[in-house]
Amino acid sequence: MVTTADASTHQATSLFEDAQARFDEAADALRLNPNVRGVLREPRRELTVHFPVERDDGSIEVFTGYRIQHNLARGPAKGGIRYHPEVTLDEVKALAMLMTWKCAVVQIPYGGAKGAVICNPKEMSLRELERMTRRYTTEISILIGPESDIAAPDVNTNAQTMAWMMDTISMHQGYSVPGVVTGKPLSIGGSEGRTDATGRGVVYCIQEAAKLVKLDLRDARIAVQGFGKVGGATVRLLHELGCKIVAVSDMSGAVFRGDGVEPTLALRQQQETGSLVGTPRTERISNEDLLRLDCDVLVPAALEGVLRADNAGGVKAKIVAEGANGPTTPEADAMLREQGTLVIPDILCNAGGVTVSYFEWVQDREEFFWTLEEINARLRRIMTRAFEDTARIAREHDVELRKAAYMLAVGRVAEATLTRGIYP
Ligand code: NAD
């Protein structure tokens, strides 16, 4: 099974096995109670649904979707919905487990979940996407709800997808249920700052990591893979800080400019042509070249498994900031550690999104909305504290940031599980 961003790549173990291996390492380091270990190694609930959707030409297509809840010990499950032609149950299980650890690292009161539909949204009309989303939402409505499991956007889903999900659940209930999803449009209970939140959190982490490696971020050379919700915001915010974005990529390829790609030109090129390639004053390079560029910070912000044993040796960046979930395989992780590259792990680095999702949920429940300044200040506080907590564990136990973040998260979830006890 290959579930990587590049079809030419090969992954020896499944993403869920990788996720379990990382959990096991942390559990070993914590000398975790073996009973709790057994509970945390597996998802609590795995729902697979097959459902019909009418295409615009009147034909009926049966789609397959998933909703996985990994853990509910610290609060309701929380996690995004991915639309992708190659998404697998294994991948969704891995991503659900990552969400559990991510929420625990930033200490927000959620467990972890993830959902997906196997589909190619690029080949579907807006009406077809809406019908598919509403039917998928109905199928998984036995799990999701503002008190039980809260969805959010992920790859190929967005604020509009969340609006359809929220409206579908609200129609079932007979009243508005904004708290069932986050990442909604502002007009129906979304939060200020949610669109940029993941990228903003990535930037806060890069700022903290730069202090550790004594890197001055002004004029620092940055390469970003992926120019979607996470990559796009990261590029724009780092550019505002004075960094040079030497390369950026999307599915169609990468563009490079030694003096820095102008984010507004890249965005305009993408909006007008659907691809970054051809951005004025840039030269085209491959996505693989981007990963090996001579730069200070590399931000993989596309899909998983892009840094692997066969290319990690070529990474020259001092800092790898994991905007994406699971972009580094365990083999690549070991190589980067050996090379002295500081990797900011996904469960810390991209936790800004779920943090502001939590703020959105709280605001929906309070029916009282905060300003952008309040959101960003609270986000910075939480991300900085999480980074400091992780760096402290890394120092105390002489381990890399990923293992430290896992130790922090697994320890917190294990404590909640033990404190609640095993039912019945
Ligand atoms: P998105 O769909 O908005 O953007 C994905 C980007 O990656 C697009 O620009 C796409 O063209 C590009 N891409 C796809 N395949 C590529 C390839 N082979 N090479 C280079 N670029 C490629 O998705 P997103 O929400 O930005 O999510 C990106 C990653 O971040 C995912 O791993 C997701 O799980 C993770 N993430 C997202 C959020 C969030 O708030 N959106 C939060 C945490 C983690």
Side-chain angles (χ1 to χ4, degrees):
M1 183 216 53
V2 178
T3 44
T4 61
D6 180 339
S8 65
T9 62
H10 173 72
Q11 179 140 340
T13 52
S14 84
L15 290 167
F16 185 59
E17 284 167 348
D18 287 352
Q20 284 184 317
R22 284 190 169 138
F23 161 73
D24 285 338
E25 261 186 46
D28 288 345
L30 291 167
R31 296 197 182 83
L32 200 66
N33 173 323
N35 296 326
V36 183
R37 191 180 182 124
V39 176
L40 301 188
R41 259 189 127 247
E42 298 294 339
R44 166 94 175 257
R45 296 179 177 135
E46 298 178 20
L47 176 64
T48 300
V49 293
H50 306 285
F51 55 95
V53 176
E54 186 178 350
R55 302 300 297 245
D56 289 343
D57 64 5
S59 64
I60 304 291
E61 187 170 342
V62 175
F63 288 88
T64 297
Y66 307 105
R67 184 67 182 173
I68 310 295
Q69 294 179 343
H70 172 256
N71 189 277
L72 304 169
R74 298 181 60 257
K78 182 85 187 80
I81 307 285
R82 177 172 293 197
Y83 289 172
H84 200 274
E86 280 134 37
V87 69
T88 63
L89 176 61
D90 176 90
E91 176 183 352
V92 185
K93 281 165 65 177
L95 291 167
M97 191 191 242
L98 275 191
M99 284 304 295
T100 300
W101 312 140
K102 195 180 297 184
C103 294
V105 167
V106 284
Q107 252 186 327
I108 57 176
Y110 286 142
K114 204 78 181 187
V117 179
I118 305 172
C119 65
N120 189 349
K122 308 238 158 23
E123 290 172 1
M124 296 170 73
S125 72
L126 203 61
R127 292 287 300 138
E128 288 174 335
L129 275 174
E130 177 174 354
R131 284 197 292 273
M132 186 189 77
T133 301
R134 288 183 180 279
R135 181 63 191 251
Y136 166 67
T137 305
T138 303
E139 295 296 331
I140 65 166
S141 64
I142 53 175
L143 287 185
I144 61 170
E147 312 282 347
S148 56
D149 183 349
I150 304 125
D154 190 70
V155 175
N156 290 327
T157 57
N158 55 28
Q160 179 60 71
T161 323
M162 295 306 111
W164 291 327
M165 290 188 76
M166 176 269 200
D167 186 67
T168 302
I169 296 295
S170 301
M171 287 299 135
H172 293 179
Q173 295 296 324
Y175 52 85
S176 287
V177 189
V180 66
V181 292
T182 58
K184 296 179 293 294
L186 277 177
S187 57
I188 55 168
S191 176
E192 293 286 354
R194 176 60 187 90
T195 319
D196 281 356
T198 308
R200 193 172 283 281
V202 171
V203 172
Y204 292 158
C205 283
I206 291 173
Q207 288 179 310
E208 293 305 309
K211 290 182 204 160
L212 287 184
V213 301
K214 303 198 175 13
L215 169 70
D216 185 355
L217 277 182
R218 271 166 312 168
D219 283 333
R221 294 158 57 80
I222 320 268
V224 181
Q225 183 187 54
F227 197 56
K229 293 183 285 292
V230 181
T234 305
V235 163
R236 183 165 39 76
L237 295 167
L238 285 173
H239 182 256
E240 281 171 19
L241 285 179
C243 301
K244 250 189 214 138
I245 311 299
V246 287
V248 60
S249 69
D250 65 12
M251 223 149 62
S252 59
V255 292
F256 168 83
R257 182 166 181 250
D259 288 339
V261 178
E262 184 55 53
T264 48
L265 292 181
L267 188 63
R268 194 180 314 147
Q269 181 73 17
Q270 197 195 44
Q271 282 167 346
E272 286 173 2
T273 69
S275 153
L276 284 173
V277 176
T279 298
R281 301 201 290 273
T282 64
E283 66 182 87
R284 183 178 186 163
I285 58 171
S286 72
N287 257 306
E288 277 298 312
D289 291 340
L290 177 143
L291 300 174
R292 290 189 296 254
L293 270 184
D294 184 12
C295 62
D296 298 304
V297 183
L298 171 64
V299 187
L303 288 178
E304 47 281 310
V306 289
L307 291 173
R308 306 170 308 268
D310 60 307
N311 63 5
V315 170
K316 297 184 190 69
K318 298 179 187 70
I319 298 171
V320 170
E322 295 186 337
N325 285 315
T328 312
T329 65
E331 302 79 43
D333 225 5
M335 291 166 71
L336 292 173
R337 189 161 59 239
E338 200 71 359
Q339 285 163 218
T341 313
L342 184 71
V343 178
I344 315 172
D346 46 10
I347 59 170
L348 168 65
C349 194
N350 67 38
V354 76
T355 302
V356 175
S357 275
Y358 167 60
F359 297 164
E360 179 175 335
W361 180 76
V362 169
Q363 292 170 81
D364 287 340
R365 288 165 76 91
E366 287 183 329
E367 296 181 3
F368 180 77
F369 289 84
W370 312 346
T371 63
L372 180 61
E373 291 69 31
E374 285 169 315
I375 302 268
N376 288 344
R378 285 178 157 134
L379 175 62
R380 185 185 274 280
R381 259 202 314 275
I382 287 181
M383 293 303 297
T384 308
R385 185 190 61 196
F387 192 99
E388 286 169 356
D389 287 349
T390 305
R392 192 188 60 251
I393 294 184
R395 259 194 323 275
E396 285 171 3
H397 294 264
D398 192 22
V399 294
E400 72 282 4
L401 289 181
R402 188 183 316 276
K403 191 159 176 185
Y406 268 77
M407 288 170 69
L408 184 64
V410 170
R412 284 174 177 162
V413 180
E415 187 191 337
T417 305
L418 276 170
T419 308
R420 287 177 64 149
I422 301 298
Y423 176 86

